[in-house]
Amino acid sequence: MIVDRNVIKPGIMLTDPIGRKLQIRDVFVPKNQRVKSASLPSSYRQIGRKVIVFTSGAVMHLDDAARRYSIEAPSM
């Protein structure tokens, strides 16, 4: 669970509960950014909440991602 949602930004790696790593491509509010929302599935285009777009093309609400994923620790 991610407590501080301000750390979720493009380029950050998230890890799901089974260990898969996903990189964030973009975080935005689709209702406010028509050009970016055109590339989303139609069910996400008029949402007034932030969504996350992963590099794999998957889309998820910020609230859901903060609940399910954790931030990947940087490797040295």
Side-chain angles (χ1 to χ4, degrees):
M1 178 176 197
I2 300 170
V3 179
D4 185 11
R5 294 181 188 173
N6 292 329
V7 298
I8 299 178
K9 32 183 121 168
I12 298 292
M13 294 289 285
L14 298 180
T15 305
D16 68 359
I18 61 172
R20 290 181 293 192
K21 298 176 185 177
L22 297 165
Q23 186 173 14
I24 298 174
R25 181 174 65 191
D26 205 357
V27 179
F28 63 96
V29 178
K31 189 174 182 180
N32 298 340
Q33 297 187 3
R34 301 271 187 218
V35 175
K36 288 183 179 181
S37 69
S39 65
L40 297 177
S42 62
S43 61
Y44 285 94
R45 290 185 190 152
Q46 294 300 319
I47 292 178
R49 299 180 349 191
K50 285 186 178 180
V51 296
I52 295 176
V53 180
F54 295 102
T55 54
S56 64
V59 180
M60 179 178 276
H61 294 287
L62 177 66
D63 297 337
D64 293 339
R67 239 181 279 126
R68 296 180 183 160
Y69 292 88
S70 60
I71 295 177
E72 177 69 22
S75 59
M76 293 184 185

